Every structure is written in structure tokens, then in C-alpha cells.
Amino acid sequence: MSWTTAARRALGGLLCALAAVAVGVAPAHAAAGSPWTPIAGMALTEPQQVHAENGVLRVTLDARLDTITVSGSPILAQPFNGRLVGPTLHVRPGDTIDVTFVNATPQDTNIHFHGMHVSPRRDADNVFRSFAPGTTHHTIVKVPKGHSPGTYWYHAHLHAITEPQLMGGLSGLVVVEGLERLLPRRLRGIAQRQIAIRDLQTSPDDPGRAALSTAEIDTTAPTTRLVNGLLRPRATMRAGRTQLWRLANIGSDLFYQVQLEGHRFRVIAEDGSPVWRVRSARTLVMAPGKRFDVLVEAGEPGTYRLRTLAYPEEGFQLLPEADLMSVRVLRGRARRPPRVPRRLDTPAGPITGLPVARKRTFTFSFGTGATFTALINGRQFDPGKTNVAPIVGTVEEWTLRNRAPEEHPFHIHINAFQVMSVNGKPYPHGLQDVVTIPRMRNGRPGEVVIRIPFRHFTGHFVFHCHILGHEDAGMMMTVQVRRRGEPVTPPPTGLMVQHALHARPAATALEAGDASPAGGVGDPPATAWLCRLRDRSAA
């Protein structure tokens, strides 16, 4: 167990007990149920599919604590609509997503549409909203007509409890249709597969319940890796046939280094943005939140493993190799494989030639105190403060530095970006919304340079590390995209309920990114919420 995980678990247990003492009760524990014993090798199935009709996709997402079946075995979890992976939402550019969100959980929550270039205001992709337990809310997301086709996803995004809410099941895929139209005609009708990868840990106190609090999640402990909520499922292909696979890491914290034995992935989109040049890869590193749309041509008949290779997520510990899925290739009629293009007619091209309005530097690090803190420019997230305020229609260049022994996957809401370099090496593939900042080596920080076009939408949103345990611990900042001359304002008040988590006063001044830490490690978050789920579920 790493020092970060040990500190988080110790802190969570201690403060849970202290909070219980403070209100005069002992921590409540539900009776342990039968252990979750998932069945391996079931046939691969996909999540429920929901499609837009007449330009509108209407869906109810019912979030509740419930005993569900995951890979053939019951487990107490907290998912959408009774399934560990929520329904896949299919839309086209120009459609509207109309979500009725029923919060039947014992916690506040909300929803974020990861990677989508949509409005962050009001009832759209606004992570500053907070849905109280026992309430129903509407989210209306208008997908622009020029939106890039590809694979996206949605998930809960309430600061300080995002990690356990995703572990419990509050996530699912979004497919913006139209990617196949960029392919040669012979490839436009090929079969498609959704491959949503995530892990599931059980509570150390109850092997029949998912880990539903930060104190229970140990990113270095054994865990069960699943595809579409199934343990090592089986899929089939015909030799010589090509399929479009939508690979998505919808888990809370873990990296995957994905490989299909004896095959190559031809990457046609990354993070929902069609690539400028199709590339071939034997392995793909998938940080939390990462997506790749790939073409897979089945080889000779036989059985092949889709697996994640050992990966050094932390500088001193490997994530172990694990099988994710088996693919049985059946004999098929001999046919000439369709030609895969080298380039795609992508909707969004490079932004290299656009003028840069401003340059900023952000440094990602851990605090040095006894309490685990995760920092950007030496500060924890302050939900009452706007940190960066670019002007709509401009391009900024950001240098992202990592002074930690662990990689940090950087993600920004609303706007995709172009990666200019990773540790000084060019990365000329396309736009994306997640990039991994390499860890510090031999005292030298890892470094990524990106350029972000702040197009179309004004309003407040965030950027953060997408290892959600780090985001919850404070590795996040707020952006306000504004019109020229518009004042810098604090974020919307919907998240003010979360201010107690950091016990810091609201601030209105702009804190622009700079190269040097601002000093201090921030105040440790209060964690009364660690007990909230357990206390209410046992009542």
C-alpha cells in the first residue's frame, strides 16, 4: 500500500469515528452480506442503448443504493438504473440530451458529460450544481451541429466524493454518431463494440458491498477489472473481418495498458476527436477518463486475450497484468481486407498556427503534511474561487508540470486541446481531453505543453487530475471563460454546500496560473461525508 493510500484510509477512518463521537453516536455498520463472487467467461454484452428520436434523447438516470447483479453475482452498489455501467446515450451533432436525474442515494451528487464541447451554464454541463438526496433534476445538453463524432462518457462529479460515486456505478458512455462516415465506404457498415473498462473493489468490512467511501478505496490493493461490468467476458469475430471498438476507461483511478494478443489497434479517434493521421499501435495506455476509437481486424482463427499489461502507475509500484476479455476468432470466407486510410477528414484540425493570447504554467504535486493533500500550484481546490479567466475565442498555451512520483492524467472540461509536446517530444495526433503528465524522475519534473482553444462557450468549469482520489483531495482548479471586458466572478453557488469540505472562505479575486507554487498546502478537508452513506444505509 502506498503512503498516499494509507494516509487516505487512516484519515477517513479516524475522521469518521470523530464525526460520530461529535454527534453522540457510534459509527453504524450494516450486517455483512455474502461475498461478491463474479462469474468469469460470460458472453460479452453491452449496456442498455438509448437513442435520440426526432433530435432529442430523453433518458431517466435513477441513482440509488441497491443490490444489483454484476457478472452473475449480487453486490450492494450505487449505480444508474440498476446496472454497474449506465445506459449508452446515442446522439448526433445538433441533437439535445434531456436527462431526468433521480437522486435516490443518501448523498448529494450531480452529472458531467466528459469530453463534450457543450455549454457549462445553468442546467447543462454544470458541475457546480448539487442534487440533494431524494430530489429529481433535469439536465439539458444541446450538442452543437459541428460537434466531433466519437466516444464520450458521463459520470457523477461532486467534488470530494467523485471517486467513491464512480466506484459505486455512476457512469456510462455517450456516442456522438458519425465517426464511421469519415471511413472508406467499405468500412462504414462494420460491426461496432462498446468496451467500457473499469474496476470494482469491495468494502474491507463487507465483501458483499462495493467500496462506497474514500476510506474504503485502496488503489494499490487487489481489485477486479471488468469489461461492461463483466469479468473476463467472451467475444467472437470472423477471421479477416474488421470491427470498430469503442474503448473507454470509465473507472475512478486506475491506468490500463491495453493489448489484444496478435493484433494491432488502428486508432481513428482519441477522446472523441477523430485523429489527423491514423496510427497503428500494439498497446494503448488508457488513463482514467481516456477513450480510443480503434479498428480491429481479426487475424487467424484462435482465441486471443484482451489484457492490460503491468503498468507503473506509481513510481515505486506496478499495477499487475490482468486479462480483460477473450476474443475467439472463427473461420470466415476469404476476403480482401478493406484499406484503412492514413488520414481522416476530421471536423477539427490543428491549432498550431493560431496566435497564442497567453501562456500559463501549472504544477501538480502532493502536500507534505500528515494529511494527504493533492495540489495545483501549491493549493487545494477552493470551490469559491475562479483561478483562470481566459477570453472566449482565444488560444492559450499551458505548461503542465508534475513534481510527484506518480503520473497525473490532466483533464479539462468543455474544450479539447492539442498536445504540443510530452517531455519535449512532439505529439502530433489530434485533439484530446485527457493527457498524462509524466512523473518526476531524478528530481526533474515531468512536463506536457498544450494549447487550448476556448471556443464558443462562456461560463465556469474545471480542470483537474482524473485520478479521482487526487481530484477529491484538491487537485482541481476553476476556469471562467468570459467575453472581453466581462468581470471575473466566483463560480456558481450550487457547490457552496461543499465549502465545508475545505473550510476555506469564498474568494472573488482571480488567481492566474504561474510557474511558482503559491505557498502552503491548503487546509485539510473535513470528511463528515465519509460516514454519511454508511450511517444512512444502516438506518
Side-chain angles (χ1 to χ4, degrees):
M1 181 186 300
S2 71
W3 72 268
T4 56
T5 301
R8 289 169 60 222
R9 293 191 67 178
L11 173 68
L14 173 63
L15 290 185
C16 182
L18 290 175
V21 171
V23 297
V25 298
H29 295 270
S34 299
W36 175 56
T37 53
I39 299 172
M42 301 175 69
L44 178 68
T45 57
E46 294 189 339
Q48 176 192 5
Q49 308 294 304
V50 181
H51 295 262
E53 296 182 5
N54 299 319
V56 180
L57 184 147
R58 292 183 174 87
V59 64
T60 296
L61 296 179
D62 186 314
R64 66 180 60 236
L65 189 66
D66 197 7
T67 298
I68 63 173
T69 299
V70 176
S71 202
S73 180
I75 187 171
L76 182 65
Q78 188 171 272
F80 286 126
N81 297 8
R83 299 185 182 184
L84 189 67
V85 178
T88 299
L89 312 182
H90 293 262
V91 294
R92 294 187 178 277
D95 285 350
T96 296
I97 302 173
D98 183 347
V99 176
T100 300
F101 193 113
V102 179
N103 183 12
T105 77
Q107 299 175 303
D108 289 47
T109 188
N110 63 12
I111 190 169
H112 165 52
F113 289 84
H114 180 122
M116 298 194 71
H117 183 58
V118 296
S119 173
R121 289 179 173 269
R122 301 182 182 88
D123 295 338
D125 189 17
N126 180 359
V127 297
F128 294 95
R129 302 171 75 195
S130 184
F131 305 161
T135 61
T136 297
H137 297 261
H138 277 276
T139 294
I140 306 294
V141 175
K142 295 182 178 180
V143 184
K145 291 183 178 180
H147 200 287
S148 291
T151 302
Y152 302 84
W153 63 304
Y154 60 90
H155 60 84
H157 202 297
L158 193 69
H159 177 58
I161 52 175
T162 304
E163 179 192 41
Q165 290 196 349
L166 262 71
M167 182 64 74
L170 297 185
S171 63
L173 298 179
V174 179
V175 175
V176 178
E177 303 285 3
L179 181 60
E180 62 278 7
R181 295 181 182 179
L182 303 179
L183 298 173
R185 191 173 300 275
R186 287 187 61 195
L187 287 171
R188 293 180 186 174
I190 60 176
Q192 301 185 23
R193 290 192 184 277
Q194 297 160 26
I195 300 177
I197 304 170
R198 56 155 296 162
D199 73 310
L200 181 60
Q201 288 191 353
T202 56
S203 165
D205 299 327
D206 182 355
R209 174 169 63 79
L212 295 175
S213 76
T214 298
E216 295 180 325
I217 298 173
D218 181 351
T219 57
T220 64
T223 189
T224 303
R225 293 167 174 83
L226 305 171
V227 172
N228 295 352
L230 299 170
L231 178 62
R232 300 193 296 277
R234 297 176 291 103
T236 59
M237 296 180 69
R238 290 283 178 184
R241 302 289 178 88
T242 299
Q243 293 184 350
L244 169 58
W245 287 13
R246 300 183 181 274
L247 299 168
N249 182 353
I250 66 168
S252 299
D253 302 288
L254 298 188
F255 282 71
Y256 295 82
Q257 188 171 199
V258 178
Q259 178 191 74
L260 178 61
E261 289 178 318
H263 293 74
R264 300 185 73 92
F265 301 115
R266 288 184 170 86
V267 180
I268 62 172
E270 182 172 356
D271 292 340
S273 294
V275 298
W276 302 323
R277 181 185 292 272
V278 176
R279 74 181 192 273
S280 177
R282 291 193 180 277
T283 63
L284 294 171
V285 175
M286 302 189 68
K290 194 72 181 175
R291 292 95 60 217
F292 288 102
D293 292 308
V294 300
L295 299 177
V296 177
E297 181 186 328
E300 295 297 321
T303 299
Y304 303 89
R305 295 179 298 167
L306 178 70
R307 58 183 176 174
T308 178
L309 304 180
Y311 189 77
E313 182 171 354
E314 301 191 43
F316 43 79
Q317 181 163 344
L318 286 173
L319 292 174
E321 179 177 322
D323 290 352
L324 301 174
M325 183 174 82
S326 66
V327 179
R328 184 184 177 196
V329 176
L330 307 175
R331 294 190 181 277
R333 292 184 300 172
R335 56 191 302 179
R336 186 182 65 181
R339 182 182 63 87
V340 176
R342 292 184 178 181
R343 295 182 180 272
L344 298 179
D345 184 16
T346 58
I351 59 175
T352 308
L354 298 179
V356 173
R358 182 162 181 175
K359 295 184 178 182
R360 308 180 195 262
T361 297
F362 299 95
T363 299
F364 293 69
S365 64
F366 295 134
T368 57
T371 300
F372 173 58
T373 53
L375 317 172
I376 300 177
N377 286 356
R379 297 179 184 272
Q380 282 185 286
F381 176 63
D382 183 340
K385 188 167 192 169
T386 293
N387 305 98
V388 186
I391 302 300
V392 67
T394 65
V395 174
E396 293 197 354
E397 181 175 287
W398 291 7
T399 298
L400 313 172
R401 291 187 178 139
N402 183 3
R403 292 188 174 274
E406 184 174 348
E407 294 180 336
H408 293 301
F410 168 89
H411 169 59
I412 189 168
H413 294 201
I414 310 303
N415 297 280
F417 50 81
Q418 180 177 345
V419 177
M420 309 304 294
S421 64
V422 178
N423 277 348
K425 296 182 179 180
Y427 189 89
H429 296 306
L431 302 183
Q432 56 199 87
D433 61 66
V434 175
V435 64
T436 298
I437 315 171
R439 65 182 182 271
M440 186 167 66
R441 293 177 181 270
N442 300 319
R444 185 173 181 177
E447 184 176 286
V448 172
V449 178
I450 64 174
R451 289 188 182 176
I452 311 173
F454 293 99
R455 294 170 170 155
H456 305 121
F457 299 109
T458 60
H460 294 81
F461 51 90
V462 295
F463 66 88
H464 56 89
C465 175
H466 219 286
I467 295 175
L468 295 180
H470 297 173
E471 183 250 290
D472 284 344
M475 196 172 274
M476 183 160 71
M477 279 188 168
T478 297
V479 179
Q480 179 193 357
V481 177
R482 58 201 173 98
R483 296 179 178 87
R484 198 172 301 277
E486 182 181 354
V488 178
T489 61
T493 58
L495 196 62
M496 293 302 178
V497 67
Q498 294 298 318
H499 273 205
L501 295 170
H502 286 280
R504 299 174 67 177
T508 59
L510 170 67
E511 178 197 5
D514 54 47
S516 59
V521 297
D523 299 317
T527 51
W529 57 270
L530 289 172
C531 302
R532 190 186 312 161
L533 173 64
R534 181 175 294 174
D535 291 347
R536 292 188 182 181
S537 64

